[in-house]
């Protein structure tokens, strides 16, 4: 079971910089980079909500289940 993080795709599609998103969400660019790469073990709902607010998307647009 794997969860794929599509944050990089959404940022590219919307032509939004990671720096702008990090500033809005209130996290460092380094932590945003880890999230974008899918190298995190978890995400706070508050953080997820702020990302969705900024990108005008749903959590399902960011996280996709990919069966093995």
């Amino acid at each position: 079971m794997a969860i794929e993080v599509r944050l990089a795709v959404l940022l590219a599609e919307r032509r939004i910089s990671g720096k702008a998103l990090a500033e809005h969400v209130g996290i460092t660019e380094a932590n945003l980079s880890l999230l974008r790469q899918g190298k995190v073990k978890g995400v706070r709902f508050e953080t997820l909500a702020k990302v969705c607010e900024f990108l005008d998307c749903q959590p399902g647009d960011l996280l996709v289940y990919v069966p093995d």
Side-chain angles (χ1 to χ4, degrees):
M1 158 179 95
I3 300 293
E4 180 181 302
V5 180
R6 298 189 67 248
L7 181 55
V9 173
L10 291 177
L11 288 172
E13 287 176 354
R14 289 166 170 78
R15 295 186 177 125
I16 297 173
S17 72
K19 181 177 182 176
L21 178 60
E23 287 176 3
H24 176 81
V25 173
I27 61 175
T28 65
E29 288 183 62
N31 282 337
L32 180 66
S33 179
L34 291 173
L35 176 59
R36 193 178 355 193
Q37 296 172 40
K39 294 185 177 182
V40 294
K41 297 289 181 187
V43 179
R44 290 183 177 179
F45 283 162
E46 179 182 352
T47 302
L48 186 59
K50 287 181 181 179
V51 170
C52 289
E53 172 189 354
F54 190 77
L55 296 177
D56 189 29
C57 68
Q58 295 293 315
D61 299 327
L62 292 169
L63 306 171
V64 179
Y65 171 71
V66 180
D68 291 336

